[in-house]
Amino acid sequence: MHETAYEITTLNHQHPTPTLGMLPTEIPPGVQMVTLPGGIRTLAYTPTQAPPAPPIPVAQPIPTWAKTTALLTPTIGGGVAAAGLGLSYAAPGLIAMSQALWAAVALIAAAAIGVPMLLRISRNTAGGGAGKGSTHITQNITASGMFGKANGTINHR
């Protein structure tokens, strides 16, 4: 492109330029107000500038996070597949283990109910039968205030 020796200024379309004697509406298209190097302002045809060419796309490098994700994807998928295969092989053992745990829970529940009943039955039979009564202990405790000393009496019958 060639250099021009003049300065292009824009017209104020509201106020006509008094030095030219033309109204801004009378100026034909493609003509602009220019200031020459000597300071003289005049009208001149100015070349229209062609729009700039679109930039040529440049290949961008692949981001590091995309490379890392692409490398981890098959690894994670293989790990999930291996875990699924392991669970399929372990399923019969896991089912047997859960049944054993339910049996243990049933044994604990039976022991929690059965042991106190056996102890009660053994006390009644070891005491000499139904003729002997059981011992009753009554305890009376009194205290004054929240942190007061407590006094009590114990009665055996």
Side-chain angles (χ1 to χ4, degrees), residues 9-27 33 41 43:
T9 59
T10 58
L11 285 176
N12 186 350
H13 291 287
Q14 304 228 345
H15 302 290
T17 308
T19 57
L20 297 176
M22 290 181 72
L23 294 174
T25 57
E26 297 174 348
I27 298 175
M33 174 70 67
R41 294 179 69 189
L43 295 174

Side-chain angles (χ1 to χ4, degrees), residues 73-131:
T73 302
T75 306
I76 292 171
V80 169
L85 184 66
L87 283 175
S88 70
Y89 282 125
L94 292 175
I95 291 170
M97 193 181 308
S98 69
Q99 290 174 353
L101 286 174
W102 279 115
V105 168
L107 180 65
I108 291 170
I113 295 171
V115 170
M117 290 178 69
L118 287 174
L119 289 175
R120 185 174 302 148
I121 291 170
S122 66
R123 272 193 226 144
N124 286 341
T125 58

